[in-house]
Amino acid sequence: MELTRETLLECLRVERWADALAGRDFASAQALVGAGLEAATPLTEAEVDEALAAHPRIGERASGDGAEARFSRAEQASSDDPDAQLAARLAEGNERYEAQFGRVFLIRASGRGRREILEELDRRLLNDPAVETDEVAEQLRQIAALRLEQTWESA
């Protein structure tokens, strides 16, 4: 199976990465995900910022009808929680994170509850900028792997 550049960018909005995978024929989801992870390792700080431009804040819903927005809404669904106090803590944590690191907090939300996301946010606020950039890159790779697998399964 071959994926278009635009489809790849819906999985990870990094031009270099999409160019490395576009037009290649993959025999299985495992081969696609493996190649995707390899091409995304490492991600430069500029590429991390490039990819983050396509991600909403944790706790906020992506708007639009495109695949990126649909992926994001589905990924964040597991972190839905009616607890207003948790929502307020997440909003406050997002603000602190953005003030400290100059970018939105990103975590693979799929399969994680809001409490776990808040614990990770609190832990990552203790990181220095270089360590945090590496953590964000790893989260982007995990998200891309999930999206590639879902793209394969839906084709």
Side-chain angles (χ1 to χ4, degrees):
M1 170 204 244
E2 284 184 30
L3 296 179
T4 67
R5 186 173 188 277
E6 190 54 43
T7 297
L8 289 160
L9 288 170
E10 292 166 349
C11 297
L12 177 63
R13 192 151 293 276
V14 173
E15 302 281 336
R16 175 200 55 83
W17 178 83
D19 290 341
L21 298 175
R24 291 174 54 187
D25 189 22
F26 297 97
S28 67
Q30 183 178 7
L32 173 61
V33 170
L37 290 173
E38 182 179 334
T41 306
L43 292 173
T44 67
E45 186 169 2
E47 289 171 334
V48 166
D49 291 336
E50 180 183 358
L52 286 177
H55 286 272
R57 285 180 182 91
I58 292 294
E60 294 180 4
R61 291 290 180 235
S63 60
D65 295 327
E68 281 176 295
R70 287 192 305 274
F71 277 133
S72 180
R73 285 190 296 268
E75 290 159 359
Q76 288 205 40
S78 67
S79 69
D80 283 345
D81 192 308
D83 186 327
Q85 185 178 26
L86 284 178
R89 285 182 51 213
L90 184 58
E92 176 196 329
N94 278 332
E95 287 178 23
R96 287 187 6 241
Y97 184 95
E98 289 173 29
Q100 182 171 331
F101 294 110
R103 59 171 64 117
V104 298
F105 172 68
L106 181 97
I107 188 168
R108 178 193 44 78
S110 183
R112 289 184 164 135
R114 189 163 285 173
R115 288 186 194 283
E116 181 182 354
I117 289 170
L118 278 167
E119 288 171 7
E120 277 297 292
L121 175 55
D122 289 341
R123 180 189 66 77
R124 287 173 50 189
L125 281 165
L126 301 175
N127 285 343
D128 69 46
V131 169
E132 183 54 23
T133 297
D134 289 344
E135 286 218 34
V136 175
E138 176 57 27
Q139 295 301 307
L140 285 165
R141 282 188 289 275
Q142 289 179 25
I143 292 165
L146 290 172
R147 290 179 177 187
L148 288 169
E149 191 171 307
Q150 291 169 12
T151 298
W152 179 276
E153 290 170 0
S154 67

